[in-house]
Amino acid sequence: MDLLLDGVKQAFILIFTGDSLVVEATLRSLQTSGSAVLISLLLGVPLGLLLALARFPGRNLIVAIINAGMGLPPVVVGLVVAILLWRSGIFGFLGLMYTVAAMVIAQVIIALPLVVGLTLTAIQQLNPKLRLQALALGASKSQMLVMLVKEAKLTMLAAVIAGFGAIISEVGAVLMVGGNISGQTRVLTTAIVEQVGRGDFSRALALSFILLAITFTATYALTLYQQKGVGVWRRTS
Amino acid sequence: MAPHLVVKNLTKRYSSRPVLDIDELTIDKEEVLAVIGPNGSGKSTLLRLIAHLEKPDGGSIEFAGGNGVKDGFGIRRRLAVVFQESLLFTGTVFDNIAYGLRVRKTARGEVKKRVGEAAEVFGISHLLERPSNLLSGGEAQRTSLARAFVLEPELLLLDEPMASLDPPTKESLLADLNDVLEKMKATVIYVTHELTEAMILADRCAFIEGGRIIQVGTPQEVMASPVNRKVADFVGVENILKGRIAGSSDGLTRVKVNGSEIEVINHVSSTEKVWVLIRPENVTITLEESGNTSARNRFSGIVKNTLDLGVLHRVVVDCGFPMVVFVTKRSVEEMSLQAGKRVWISFKATGVHVISREGERV
């Protein structure tokens, strides 16, 4: 218990004194996971829409792969990305190993199936006639797709929450492809592992509290946005 | 005047099953055409094809003054569709009514003005700020109609917009819609399986069955002179009797029904086997055989049963053939009409409609 209380105390001290390791790891975690979520959304939402609306040979196979991908072990993703980006690997010439870009790639691979799968489910749960209704009121195909995304917003925000939560808290993949290099690729989770290895539990706890606080704050903000206007309106008559 | 819309040789199949085969259907500008028919007759498919929401397998759908616009999007911008379900989007009533204007990039001030006007017309001005998921069925359908009317489209396609409403809500919306259609002079195709809606709203009716147009005419024509038994059944002719032409003289045709002869005016068909159609409201019941009547057909019979329908009673009289008659509650009481009572029924030769049985699948 003393260790926990000491950890909380340490966390406040480290945060308010602007400890360089804490600031660096926090900012890099936000940068890496934020970029990965954004890229996953940019790729995943159109792909989810395509899978929900189009019928083509091999579609069911892709859906099955996406569903399986939702439970991908991050450490396996890290291993595969590491093999591909290794100097002798297929993409070794890019020189991305042990960079933030490599960590973003690994995190996108983890988050993408969640975004695609939840977008697909969200769109398929909508009344299919909504599409016809939008077109029948003069919407172009792209305007109709925007309408569908708006209608599926609640479930798709769940995808963002799930994706962000999954990647900011994972350690296996980023450690393998990032290497936890101080000043370059150290993020909160890898820093925690490092501090535990050194026996500095106070610092490890402080970093863990910060990680928890970030995860909770991001999730809370997204939840507030998601729930905005849901069930708060009351009839006046 | 050239028709506003011409549908020709339109065909559609689902898998290999033919669902639509329309030789020709036209609609004039400012006309309300009701497409009526039983469930599964192809009427909603016809509407989706006209709306360019589905592609036909063959045939053409042409708008007057199309200016060469052939693509689905270009044509859909000239029309608006209201479906049976209100299909409102997330957002307020205002957002919903504004949807079609916003996708057309209408200026914000213009959107506000037109949405306000459309809401006023459909009596939902007080609901503009209400989220769409908190509307009653009637309010939601009024919003859906306002969302289509606000676009002032060249063609409005209404696909059973009243079908999921309860009777009082439907009655009130039907009356309002009738007023709106009269004021706005809109060109409308109104799909329904409710004859009353067609009678109230439409200038013309097209009866569709098995994907084919069976009869086109004013609602009154279709009601009074259905072209075959299916239309007759649909438009509520309760007395459909199997008969044979017995002969003609002085402009009257005699039709033999179960040994009795019914006189019909000017039946010109050469066919022998016919259906004799008599609407229940055209038949009168008396307790004595009255000689002082112009009704050419008088039969004695026994009341089989009576059914209380509220203001009216449905009385079935067996006069060698069953005859359904609608009688007011007061007359039933005054005449003591009950099962077993001997009565006379009479109806005019002009109140009988005869159609051929030849070649008809019955």
Side-chain angles (χ1 to χ4, degrees):
Chain A
M1 194 65 197
D2 285 347
L3 195 63
L4 271 175
L5 288 173
D6 192 41
V8 176
K9 207 169 114 191
Q10 275 286 332
F12 275 102
I13 293 167
L14 291 171
I15 292 164
F16 289 110
T17 56
D19 179 83
S20 61
L21 182 144
V22 171
V23 173
E24 177 211 330
T26 305
L27 290 179
R28 190 158 301 111
S29 273
L30 288 172
Q31 177 202 5
T32 313
S33 300
S35 311
V37 164
L38 194 66
I39 293 168
S40 301
L41 281 173
L42 290 174
L43 296 174
V45 171
L47 193 54
L49 279 169
L50 180 74
L51 288 172
L53 303 178
R55 293 288 174 272
F56 50 88
R59 178 189 168 277
N60 288 344
L61 180 67
I62 296 174
V63 174
I65 292 169
I66 296 292
N67 286 338
M70 288 167 90
L72 268 186
V75 72
V76 176
V77 174
L79 178 64
V80 173
V81 174
I83 291 169
L84 293 173
L85 295 182
W86 203 255
R87 208 178 304 158
S88 55
I90 300 174
F91 299 109
F93 66 94
L94 294 171
L96 292 178
M97 195 62 185
Y98 300 130
T99 64
V100 170
M103 295 195 296
V104 171
I105 290 170
Q107 292 196 339
V108 166
I109 294 172
I110 296 165
L112 191 60
L114 284 168
V115 176
V116 176
L118 289 174
T119 303
L120 167 66
T121 310
I123 299 295
Q124 283 187 328
Q125 275 174 351
L126 296 175
N127 186 340
K129 289 183 185 162
L130 275 175
R131 270 182 271 160
L132 289 184
Q133 182 64 83
L135 294 173
L137 290 168
S140 64
K141 282 198 177 138
S142 56
Q143 287 169 329
M144 180 268 287
L145 292 175
V146 169
M147 181 279 296
L148 287 182
V149 170
K150 278 187 183 168
E151 290 298 314
K153 190 175 70 179
L154 288 183
T155 318
M156 287 169 65
L157 272 169
V160 178
I161 294 169
F164 185 75
I167 56 178
I168 198 165
S169 55
E170 80 76 33
V171 64
V174 283
L175 190 58
M176 214 172 287
V177 300
N180 191 37
I181 302 167
S182 172
Q184 289 180 41
T185 59
R186 179 179 287 153
V187 290
L188 282 168
T189 50
T190 55
I192 292 168
V193 172
E194 186 189 16
Q195 297 306 313
V196 170
R198 284 184 182 174
D200 190 347
F201 287 102
S202 297
R203 202 163 232 188
L205 269 173
L207 291 164
S208 301
F209 285 127
I210 292 167
L211 179 59
L212 274 176
I214 290 173
T215 312
F216 181 76
T217 308
T219 309
Y220 186 65
L222 288 168
T223 307
L224 281 184
Y225 181 65
Q226 185 195 43
Q227 298 298 313
K228 197 170 73 175
V230 177
V232 293
W233 195 89
R234 290 196 179 88
R235 281 171 190 271
T236 51
S237 56
Chain B
M1 188 172 65
H4 189 58
L5 178 86
V6 180
V7 172
K8 264 190 184 158
N9 304 320
L10 196 67
T11 56
K12 180 72 183 170
R13 288 169 170 271
Y14 289 142
S15 302
S16 57
R17 188 172 58 92
V19 288
L20 207 65
D21 187 359
I22 307 279
D23 292 338
E24 187 178 86
L25 184 68
T26 60
I27 178 165
D28 291 333
K29 204 167 170 57
E30 297 179 9
E31 183 184 33
V32 178
L33 173 74
V35 176
I36 59 170
N39 290 331
S41 56
K43 52 193 191 302
S44 291
T45 305
L46 171 64
L47 187 131
R48 285 197 298 275
L49 293 180
I50 292 174
H52 286 67
L53 294 170
E54 279 183 47
K55 282 187 179 160
D57 294 325
S60 63
I61 302 161
E62 298 218 352
F63 269 106
N67 298 328
V69 178
K70 290 274 182 194
D71 68 299
F73 174 60
I75 289 170
R76 281 197 301 273
R77 281 267 159 119
R78 302 172 62 192
L79 50 83
V81 187
V82 176
F83 294 99
Q84 180 179 337
E85 295 168 69
S86 43
L87 296 171
L88 298 183
F89 306 129
T90 304
T92 61
V93 168
F94 185 97
D95 293 332
N96 269 279
I97 303 176
Y99 184 81
L101 296 170
R102 284 175 177 162
V103 298
R104 287 166 174 78
K105 314 268 186 240
T106 309
R108 192 176 285 196
E110 176 76 3
V111 171
K112 198 172 174 193
K113 179 173 154 277
R114 283 171 66 177
V115 169
E117 286 167 359
E120 177 87 37
V121 165
F122 283 95
I124 48 171
S125 299
H126 60 295
L127 301 173
L128 281 174
E129 295 310 314
R130 188 172 291 188
S132 62
N133 60 339
L134 294 172
L135 298 175
S136 69
E139 290 166 347
Q141 203 56 321
R142 281 175 186 272
T143 305
S144 185
L145 284 163
R147 183 170 62 175
F149 274 83
V150 75
L151 301 171
E152 295 170 11
E154 290 171 53
L155 178 63
L156 255 170
L157 301 163
L158 309 182
D159 188 2
E160 306 207 42
M162 311 278 170
S164 31
L165 301 179
D166 59 68
T169 309
K170 186 170 163 176
E171 202 175 306
S172 127
L173 184 51
L174 200 55
D176 287 355
L177 182 59
N178 191 31
D179 285 349
V180 174
L181 289 178
E182 277 178 13
K183 276 184 205 145
M184 291 186 70
K185 307 247 176 260
T187 310
V188 180
I189 296 183
Y190 189 96
V191 165
T192 181
H193 64 270
E194 288 283 342
L195 194 70
T196 24
E197 290 173 27
M199 290 289 287
I200 291 170
L201 300 174
D203 301 309
R204 270 192 317 145
C205 278
F207 184 89
I208 184 168
E209 216 277 328
R212 290 170 177 273
I213 302 278
I214 307 289
Q215 184 172 7
V216 181
T218 65
Q220 292 71 24
E221 279 167 2
V222 177
M223 280 279 279
S225 312
V227 292
N228 69 15
R229 164 119 200 215
K230 278 174 184 157
V231 184
D233 277 337
F234 190 83
V235 300
V237 178
E238 294 221 33
N239 297 305
I240 302 177
L241 309 168
K242 204 180 257 191
R244 275 176 180 275
I245 303 287
S248 295
S249 57
D250 301 330
L252 287 173
T253 302
R254 295 184 314 283
V255 184
K256 206 150 201 157
V257 175
N258 267 10
S260 304
E261 276 195 1
I262 292 176
E263 288 188 346
V264 184
I265 197 141
N266 287 335
H267 178 71
V268 291
S269 168
S270 59
T271 181
E272 253 207 342
K273 295 176 181 174
V274 292
W275 290 110
V276 178
L277 313 178
I278 306 158
R279 301 195 73 85
E281 54 270 33
N282 289 343
V283 185
T284 309
I285 294 187
T286 51
L287 293 178
E288 310 275 332
E289 182 181 14
S290 170
N292 298 325
T293 171
S294 63
R296 297 291 313 162
N297 298 291
R298 295 192 289 277
F299 301 96
S300 171
I302 305 285
V303 174
K304 295 296 286 178
N305 59 59
T306 68
L307 180 66
D308 188 350
L309 301 174
V311 181
L312 291 177
H313 278 234
R314 182 180 185 274
V315 180
V316 181
V317 179
D318 181 5
C319 28
F321 49 85
M323 181 65 69
V324 177
V325 189
F326 287 153
V327 184
T328 61
K329 189 174 186 170
R330 200 162 171 182
S331 294
V332 168
E333 285 165 4
E334 284 175 5
M335 296 166 78
S336 306
L337 291 179
Q338 53 191 312
K341 181 120 183 163
R342 177 158 290 279
V343 293
W344 284 83
I345 61 158
S346 56
F347 49 90
K348 296 170 83 165
T350 50
V352 184
H353 181 62
V354 175
I355 53 178
S356 168
R357 271 198 289 141
E358 297 292 340
E360 187 176 330
R361 194 159 48 92
V362 289

